Amino acid sequence: MDLKGLTSQQVEESRAKNGSNAIPEAEPTTFLKEFLETFGDPMIKILLAIAALMIVMAIAGLAEPYEPIGTIVAVLIVAFVSAKTNVASDQKYIELKESAEKDKCKAIRDGATNVIEVDDVVTGDLILLQSGDKIPADGVLVHGNIKVDNSALNGEAEECKKTAAEPGFEMPTDITGDTFVDDHSLFRGAVCIDGEGYLDVRQVGLKTMMGKMAEEMNEEEPDSPLKVKLAKLANQISVFGYVSAIIIAIVYFIYFIIKAGGPSEFFAMGAPAVIKKIVDGVSIAILIVVCAVPEGLPLMISLVLMQNTSKMLDHNVLVRKAVGIETAGSLNVLFSDKTGTITKGKLEVVEFFTADGEVIPNDKLAGCKKVKELLDISIGKNTQSLFDGNHNVIGGNFTDQALMHFIGEADFNALKDNKEYEVTTYQGFNSANKFSQSRIDNLGKTFYKGAPERLLAKATKYLDADGNIKDIDMDKLNAKIDALANKAMRVLSFGYSEKPMVENEINDDVVIIGLVGIRDDVRPEAKEAIKEVQDAGIQVVMITGDRLETAKAIAKDAGLIKSDNDIALSSAELNKMSDDEVKKIVRDIRVIARALPTDKSRMVRICQEMNLVVGMTGDGVNDSPALKKADVGFAMGSGTEAAKEAGEIVILDDNFKSIKDAILYGRTIYNNILKFCKFQLVINVAAVIVSAIGPFCGIEEPLKVTHLLFVNLVMDGLGAIMLGNEPALEKYMHEKPRRRDESIISKPMATQIGIMGAWLTVLSFVFFKVPFFASLFEGTGHLSQKYLDSYSNTFKDLPIEEAMHKTAYFVLFILAALFNGFNVRDNGFGIFKNLKLNPGFIKTMLAIMGVQCLIVNCGLIPLAPFQWIGNMFSCVPFGIKGWVVVVLMALTMIPVDLIRKSLSGSGKAE
């Protein structure tokens, strides 16, 4: 066969005709891109619309400039924090990726072997493949014999033998799960693990199987559940705010007409007076909209995601896209790859037993000295594997390597260094014999390693755990072997003979030393993590390229299949079903075997169509499209770059437990968002009602625009820190998963917001209308004459007693909202629990109180900047009696909500 490869000219012609082998990677995100994307958020759009309206009114002299400026500052802070969080997460991943060297391969060009980058491979290239080489493109083996590991493509850690194809062999165009394991086809991403051969490249770049997966990953991603919920909340709030504003404007217009004595009297006031009244009504209506919109919510979400993204690194979770961590907490269904995720990703000896069926645990085997000694020889002197200088097992196949790990490096080296155990004659394993054998003349024994049916066809004796030779009970032994086969274990047997070695034969005096069950076993921590995830109400489905029987056995061991109602399907069975048929059984599916990448993507799509929030874990190229399409993709840290590119979250330690931690933190974030919503919306409801009804009751501007600015920026920003750092509690893992389109505001939450907002409204009107409270602010002895003179020059139309009264109400409003912060920490009575786990809560609360105290008393500081701040907030210092009463009234928020909880039946600490 001609092995000269392409000439340099042919390489260029092929590249021009068939394209490059490079697979374009996703462009890294930029600060500007992330910054601008923030403005697509529905809440941000509402805030910008309000700011624009307020700017127009400020220019017309109908509104203060502080509110639009404050709102714009809040939006810019949100955009900055969001962009910084996402860019920082992406940068960590880029650093991880850049630390790896680009893949290379050995191409035969111009009759010589050249080491080139994989991206430079072209169609028609002849590639030399040796043990350890990655397949650089799709093609056909045209010379030699090799074994490949396809786990990066189909997720299965199994050897696949490839032989040279006959001239004229055409590579299949319709790729199925069986094509990966056919005799001649090779695919980019697989690894040559043994042998040597030459690959004829047939497809490169985006035309390869890996390239097609990369193209599929470019499809538009679904909106995150949080984005869907926030859009719904924004719509609800918009409707509430706009409808309220229109109603209030109309009511005020009617009020002005009635107050004037009727329509004719109202319009007889003249155009300037009528226009002023209309503008007053519109101004109040706009104020209502400002009160209704929770300006701090986008900022709170950005801060919470940023804080928890950095926390997750301590749990071996690299969050590439910040919203992914919250989405993890919203999961309904988690599709998991088997190999390397649920299992360890490599073959190992799971069980050793003697021919009487007695299992000897690994840690007890050393105590069975005769059995252990002969077993070590049967393995260590009957293998093509060995330990290298870095203590890694090299050579041989996966089974040989698993057996070497089983006996251990120390015992292997002891055998190697002992001259008494020198092998006289050796015959390696082949598929015809199904056994290997070695003769050690110094011991006078021939040792065997092979398939049980080959050794047991000649054996009648075995060694028990104490080293005694006994007769084999074949029925008992075969029952044990069948039981292991049902658990998807490969069984190997070991024996010895006192007779000389005979080529291709097993001596008839063979004594069975013992047998082992070998399997890519379930990770112990994965079992526990799967149970916790299932207890959280999340359906876990294993999708694997392995055969159905093996997949079912693994699923049973991992705790995925527990009853007869649990369904395990093969890819062929799945593809015979329509989408509607799959939807009827989807909640009972636990396993999909022999799965193709298209099966994974299809299952993700079907579940999303059912309004379920879908997660996908994986490490191979085969997982990448589904990782991308899922609401949140968990890529394994040791996995392929394609998988990491596709996932929102990278599990650095490949541990299923870390996925559970990500789910817990995701649920914590969502619960903290709910707490903040309750905290903020109580303020908004009260502000809307008081601002709307106050003027009808003779209370003009109970809250100034600058007071609302304080609420929107200081209260909301610092409130986000207060509640955003609430601790992750295990109880969140026992909550039911939430639907994708589930409203953020549930009925119990709406009840709490309504009742506490109503109570704050009652406090407000009692404080304004009961004469006792007005009498608290009648004296001005605590104020200097200089201040009083300054006040008279600044606020000519507002008596100072009334100004103090309104200032005290501003303090009452803020303190009541702060004390309500305790109420929202727990749905029961445990509102003071776990404060030590969130030390920032009390510190932030005290900081807000301190800032407000400073604003109120700025007028007492004889410096221009402080005087300006006092005037901006229309605040006048008031006496100690007023402070005591205000604090006591604000504190009533706590017992009132505890009574509400008690009456509603939720009054128990959670």
Side-chain angles (χ1 to χ4, degrees):
M1 182 184 176
D2 183 14
L3 298 177
K4 292 182 179 179
L6 301 177
T7 64
S8 298
Q9 182 180 346
Q10 288 173 324
V11 168
E12 293 307 317
E13 289 173 353
S14 178
R15 185 174 288 119
K17 180 181 177 182
N18 302 300
S20 163
N21 195 37
I23 296 177
E25 294 182 352
E27 287 292 323
T29 190
T30 63
F31 182 87
L32 180 61
K33 178 185 174 185
E34 294 292 339
F35 186 85
L36 294 176
E37 278 187 5
T38 307
F39 294 93
D41 185 284
M43 289 293 242
I44 297 295
K45 288 179 179 177
I46 294 175
L47 292 179
L48 290 175
I50 290 172
L53 196 56
M54 293 296 290
I55 287 172
V56 171
M57 293 189 67
I59 292 172
L62 303 174
E64 296 286 346
Y66 309 120
E67 178 64 21
I69 292 172
T71 302
I72 291 169
V73 168
V75 168
L76 292 176
I77 291 173
V78 170
F80 178 83
V81 171
S82 298
K84 187 175 183 299
T85 302
N86 287 330
V87 169
S89 298
D90 201 52
Q91 188 59 38
K92 287 187 178 74
Y93 167 69
I94 291 170
E95 290 168 5
L96 202 97
K97 187 172 69 172
E98 288 180 346
S99 64
E101 188 180 352
K102 277 199 169 186
D103 289 334
K104 291 182 170 62
C105 65
K106 298 180 278 285
I108 313 301
R109 289 180 178 175
D110 297 316
T113 303
N114 301 278
V115 176
I116 64 172
E117 288 189 358
V118 165
D119 287 355
D120 293 332
V121 171
V122 298
T123 301
D125 255 330
L126 196 63
I127 307 295
L128 171 61
L129 297 175
Q130 296 172 312
S131 182
D133 290 344
K134 278 187 180 180
I135 312 299
D138 292 0
V140 175
L141 190 70
V142 292
H143 185 77
N145 294 280
I146 63 173
K147 294 177 183 176
V148 298
D149 173 9
N150 282 318
S151 59
L153 293 161
N154 65 2
E156 298 314 312
E158 60 184 4
E159 297 171 5
C160 182
K161 295 178 182 177
K162 300 289 180 178
T163 57
E166 295 294 326
F169 175 81
E170 291 295 326
M171 192 173 183
T173 53
D174 294 327
I175 308 299
T176 68
D178 293 328
T179 312
F180 291 135
V181 294
D182 71 8
D183 292 334
H184 316 301
S185 303
L186 295 168
F187 295 90
R188 180 172 181 168
V191 179
C192 176
I193 56 174
D194 194 19
E196 184 174 302
Y198 288 86
L199 164 72
D200 177 25
V201 175
R202 302 287 176 89
Q203 301 288 358
V204 295
L206 292 174
K207 294 177 183 177
T208 63
M209 190 67 184
M210 186 185 287
K212 290 174 183 175
M213 292 180 192
E215 276 193 309
E216 193 175 346
M217 285 162 55
N218 289 330
E219 294 180 10
E220 191 174 337
E221 296 180 57
D223 286 340
S224 71
L226 181 60
K227 188 173 181 180
V228 172
K229 291 180 174 71
L230 286 177
K232 191 170 183 178
L233 178 63
N235 183 58
Q236 291 170 335
I237 290 172
S238 300
V239 171
F240 171 73
Y242 298 149
V243 170
S244 298
I246 292 169
I247 291 172
I248 292 298
I250 293 171
V251 169
Y252 265 95
F253 189 59
I254 294 170
Y255 169 70
F256 292 144
I257 290 174
I258 293 171
K259 195 174 180 181
S264 56
E265 289 82 358
F266 175 73
F267 289 107
M269 294 166 55
V274 170
I275 291 172
K276 185 180 184 307
K277 291 293 184 184
I278 292 173
V279 168
D280 287 345
V282 171
S283 298
I284 292 171
I286 292 173
L287 187 65
I288 298 304
V289 176
V290 173
C291 291
V293 176
E295 286 92 336
L297 186 56
L299 176 59
M300 185 269 178
I301 292 170
S302 297
L303 288 173
V304 169
L305 290 176
M306 182 177 70
Q307 291 161 355
N308 284 278
T309 294
S310 56
K311 280 181 187 176
M312 288 310 298
L313 272 176
D314 298 333
H315 293 266
N316 294 305
V317 176
L318 171 61
V319 182
R320 290 198 59 222
K321 298 176 183 176
V323 75
I325 192 67
E326 189 283 327
T327 307
S330 302
L331 289 180
N332 300 112
V333 183
L334 176 61
F335 291 106
S336 177
D337 187 31
K338 174 180 76 70
T339 305
T341 307
I342 292 176
T343 64
K344 296 174 182 176
K346 62 180 181 180
L347 293 178
E348 67 176 10
V349 174
V350 178
E351 194 171 288
F352 173 82
F353 59 99
T354 53
D356 56 2
E358 181 184 349
V359 176
I360 303 176
N362 290 2
D363 57 347
K364 305 289 185 185
L365 189 55
C368 306
K369 292 186 178 179
K370 186 173 182 180
V371 173
K372 172 65 173 168
E373 180 186 0
L374 293 173
L375 180 65
D376 286 353
I377 296 169
S378 292
I379 295 173
K381 292 296 180 179
N382 209 351
T383 185
Q384 294 181 330
S385 295
L386 70 157
F387 285 92
D388 66 9
N390 295 320
H391 313 291
N392 297 315
V393 177
I394 59 172
N397 58 29
F398 290 155
T399 302
D400 283 337
Q401 292 174 8
L403 292 171
M404 290 296 282
H405 282 295
F406 175 61
I407 67 171
E409 185 175 11
D411 288 350
F412 173 77
N413 288 336
L415 287 172
K416 185 176 68 173
D417 298 337
N418 192 329
K419 298 298 182 183
E420 186 183 355
Y421 297 147
E422 189 171 332
V423 175
T424 309
T425 313
Y426 171 74
Q427 181 182 10
F429 180 91
N430 63 60
S431 56
N433 288 338
K434 294 186 178 179
F435 71 88
S436 62
Q437 56 181 333
S438 60
R439 175 69 183 177
I440 300 178
D441 285 342
N442 290 338
L443 298 178
K445 289 181 173 63
T446 301
F447 292 90
Y448 301 96
K449 175 185 75 178
E453 63 269 22
R454 295 291 282 121
L455 269 68
L456 293 177
K458 294 291 185 74
T460 59
K461 306 287 184 181
Y462 77 98
L463 289 181
D464 68 6
D466 297 323
N468 302 312
I469 298 177
K470 294 185 176 181
D471 292 330
I472 297 176
D473 181 340
M474 285 297 180
D475 291 338
K476 189 174 182 180
L477 179 54
N478 284 328
K480 175 66 177 177
I481 292 171
D482 290 344
L484 293 183
N486 289 334
K487 291 184 177 180
M489 291 192 198
R490 180 186 178 191
V491 180
L492 280 180
S493 56
F494 307 92
Y496 71 90
S497 164
E498 302 286 353
K499 295 180 180 180
M501 188 181 106
V502 180
E503 188 174 357
N504 299 327
E505 291 288 336
I506 295 173
N507 294 329
D508 57 10
D509 68 332
V510 64
V511 177
I512 301 299
I513 301 167
L515 303 94
V516 294
I518 297 177
R519 185 175 76 175
D520 177 16
D521 206 24
V522 177
R523 292 172 178 262
E525 67 273 18
K527 285 185 184 181
E528 182 182 345
I530 286 171
K531 184 179 184 305
E532 290 185 70
V533 171
Q534 289 174 328
D535 289 344
I538 299 169
Q539 177 184 352
V540 182
V541 180
M542 185 174 78
I543 299 190
T544 173
D546 215 335
R547 61 194 185 93
L548 184 59
E549 294 76 13
T550 301
K552 286 167 72 174
I554 293 291
K556 286 176 182 176
D557 276 5
L560 292 173
I561 294 179
K562 299 177 182 178
S563 72
D564 294 338
N565 294 327
D566 295 331
I567 297 172
L569 295 170
S570 68
S571 174
E573 291 170 328
L574 181 69
N575 287 318
K576 288 177 183 176
M577 303 171 70
S578 68
D579 285 358
D580 288 336
E581 289 173 325
V582 174
K583 287 176 182 178
K584 289 177 183 177
I585 64 167
V586 75
R587 297 317 299 255
D588 293 320
I589 295 176
R590 298 293 178 267
V591 174
I592 299 173
R594 285 297 187 210
L596 295 170
T598 49
D599 295 326
K600 300 180 181 187
S601 298
R602 182 190 179 200
M603 290 306 298
V604 169
R605 174 180 56 77
I606 285 172
C607 289
Q608 287 173 337
E609 286 175 0
M610 295 172 67
N611 246 345
L612 300 173
V613 181
V614 185
M616 167 67 74
T617 77
D619 55 1
V621 177
N622 61 311
D623 301 317
S624 303
L627 284 169
K628 182 82 171 179
K629 285 186 175 181
D631 293 296
V632 58
F634 299 94
M636 298 298 126
S638 64
T640 60
E641 291 305 320
K644 293 175 195 171
E645 287 276 1
E648 282 82 13
I649 293 173
V650 180
I651 306 298
L652 298 175
D653 62 352
D654 291 7
N655 196 327
F656 205 99
K657 181 180 180 300
S658 298
I659 297 174
K660 174 257 176 183
D661 290 337
I663 292 170
L664 171 60
Y665 270 85
R667 291 192 169 192
T668 300
I669 288 171
Y670 189 75
N671 273 280
N672 290 350
I673 289 171
L674 294 183
K675 291 174 184 178
F676 181 79
C677 284
K678 288 187 280 188
F679 171 77
Q680 191 182 43
L681 291 178
V682 166
I683 302 172
N684 291 16
V685 166
V688 166
I689 297 173
V690 171
S691 298
I693 300 175
F696 291 107
C697 302
I699 309 168
E700 296 292 337
E701 283 194 291
L703 287 169
K704 297 283 186 180
V705 172
T706 48
H707 295 167
L708 294 174
L709 175 65
F710 182 88
V711 170
N712 291 341
L713 287 183
V714 180
M715 284 287 286
D716 295 348
L718 294 179
I721 297 171
M722 271 173 60
L723 295 167
N725 280 320
E726 284 289 282
L729 304 175
E730 285 296 330
K731 69 177 183 179
Y732 297 148
M733 290 300 287
H734 300 290
E735 296 175 350
K736 289 183 179 179
R738 299 176 296 275
R739 289 176 62 86
R740 172 189 300 278
D741 60 350
E742 182 180 305
S743 176
I744 287 181
I745 301 177
S746 62
K747 285 184 179 179
M749 185 174 164
T751 300
Q752 181 175 7
I753 292 168
I755 290 175
M756 297 315 297
W759 177 248
L760 182 50
T761 303
V762 169
L763 284 179
S764 302
F765 284 103
V766 167
F767 187 74
F768 275 121
K769 303 308 290 183
V770 173
F772 165 75
F773 297 107
S775 68
L776 296 171
F777 309 102
E778 290 177 352
T780 57
H782 60 290
L783 300 173
S784 66
Q785 188 59 46
K786 185 177 180 181
Y787 177 81
L788 293 173
D789 293 340
S790 173
Y791 176 84
S792 299
N793 294 330
T794 307
F795 301 102
K796 296 176 182 178
D797 299 327
L798 185 66
I800 193 166
E801 291 82 3
E802 187 178 340
M804 285 191 288
H805 197 176
K806 286 188 175 180
T807 302
Y809 173 67
F810 173 42
V811 174
L812 169 62
F813 191 85
I814 298 300
L815 291 183
L818 284 176
F819 292 138
N820 190 50
F822 287 104
N823 294 329
V824 304
R825 291 189 70 245
D826 193 276
N827 289 330
F829 288 155
I831 61 176
F832 300 113
K833 287 178 67 177
N834 299 312
L835 279 173
K836 288 183 179 179
L837 299 177
N838 183 13
F841 185 90
I842 297 297
K843 291 177 183 175
T844 306
M845 181 176 283
L846 292 174
I848 294 173
M849 290 179 178
V851 170
Q852 191 181 32
C853 187
L854 178 64
I855 289 172
V856 169
N857 292 291
C858 267
L860 298 177
I861 303 172
L863 294 174
F866 291 98
Q867 297 289 319
W868 182 81
I869 291 172
N871 292 339
M872 183 179 80
F873 282 95
S874 305
C875 284
V876 176
F878 57 92
I880 190 66
K881 286 192 295 183
W883 278 95
V884 171
V885 170
V886 163
V887 170
L888 290 175
M889 289 186 73
L891 278 170
T892 62
M893 294 289 286
I894 294 176
V896 167
D897 194 52
L898 292 177
I899 292 169
R900 180 198 63 80
K901 289 174 180 177
S902 180
L903 293 175
S904 66
S906 62
K908 59 182 179 182
E910 296 183 354

